[in-house]
Amino acid sequence: MKTGLVMEGGAMRGLFSAGVIDVLMENGITFDGAVGVSAGACFGCNYKSHQPRRVIRYNTRFCKDKRYCSVRSLITTGDMFGAEFCYHKIPDELDVFDFETYRNSPMEFYVVCTDIETGKPVYRRVRTCDRNDLEWIRASASMPLAARIVNADGRKLMDGGISDSIPLKFMEKTGYEKNVVIVTQPRDYHKNPDGTIKLIKVAYRKYPEFVRACEHRPKMYNDELSYIRKAESDGRAFVIAPPEKLPIGHIEHDSEVLLEVYRRGRKAANDSLEALIEFMNEKN
């Protein structure tokens, strides 16, 4: 029976997921495959490279660096999170990503992007984390209004969370029968319409299917929450969620806030660890 890991996005709420996966790695828990969306893709790839604590290390180190995330970066490059700095300078030089371990790991790793011409999700298996693969990861995390459209393999791509925020169905269809799902909102969360939809309609007026996907996102998201609850009650999924709303927004420059969210992820994982190991060891 193949086991999978599903990691939701949520921008800097992803530090909660980083705390969870670090505890899982430290306890030797492995998966046959994983899928990440947005921050879940950016941070989750460190599971396959087996680098616990790398995510919190570089985020706290660079959270005040304007090259990492700033309005200045948005104005000068078109990306709030600087593409060259985040996806090349850091992993190549400043906090080196273990590309060799990533390539040699048997775990399959997928990311989700949204094709802005169709408004549909696109799933990409990230095999090596080479420069082209990193463009897919960047696309998965490219939030509307805060990032440029990413061109990769002939597609125009943006934030995977617009079209498939919690891709448990994808993992099940791909053959992963038992899945651990990390979400970054509390279990009772209900998504409401986005206040930026008017700006999105103007900024992406050339892409009506993408606008439609953005409008439909609250329903899609709430339907996915219902689906994972049902999967959990059926014994097909194990869900790890913060017990209350995380004290962080999409952007955060205070390292203590980042550490607090990360610590909450670690606590949630440790609190769930015994039950999680039992779930992973169940045959059916």
Side-chain angles (χ1 to χ4, degrees), residues 8 37 123 160-161 163-170 183 217-230:
E8 184 191 0
V37 183
Y123 306 93
S163 54
D164 192 353
S165 297
I166 313 169
L168 175 58
K169 286 184 181 179
F170 162 76
V183 295
R217 187 185 185 193
K219 183 180 186 307
M220 175 274 296
Y221 188 91
N222 294 328
D223 287 348
E224 290 192 336
L225 287 178
S226 297
Y227 185 83
I228 66 170
R229 292 187 195 108
K230 178 65 165 58

Side-chain angles (χ1 to χ4, degrees), residues 112-130:
V112 186
C113 302
T114 300
D115 186 315
I116 70 164
E117 295 183 314
T118 66
K120 302 295 184 183
V122 182
Y123 306 93
R124 162 84 172 195
R125 183 175 173 186
V126 179
R127 297 177 183 273
T128 66
C129 264
D130 62 10

Side-chain angles (χ1 to χ4, degrees), residues 239-260:
V239 180
I240 301 177
E244 58 189 10
K245 184 176 176 62
L246 295 169
I248 197 167
H250 282 85
I251 296 166
E252 181 56 62
H253 300 295
D254 187 334
S255 61
E256 286 303 315
V257 174
L258 299 178
L259 281 166
E260 173 60 22

Side-chain angles (χ1 to χ4, degrees), residues 24-37:
L24 302 191
M25 281 191 276
E26 289 161 8
N27 282 275
I29 295 173
T30 60
F31 298 90
D32 297 305
V35 62
V37 183

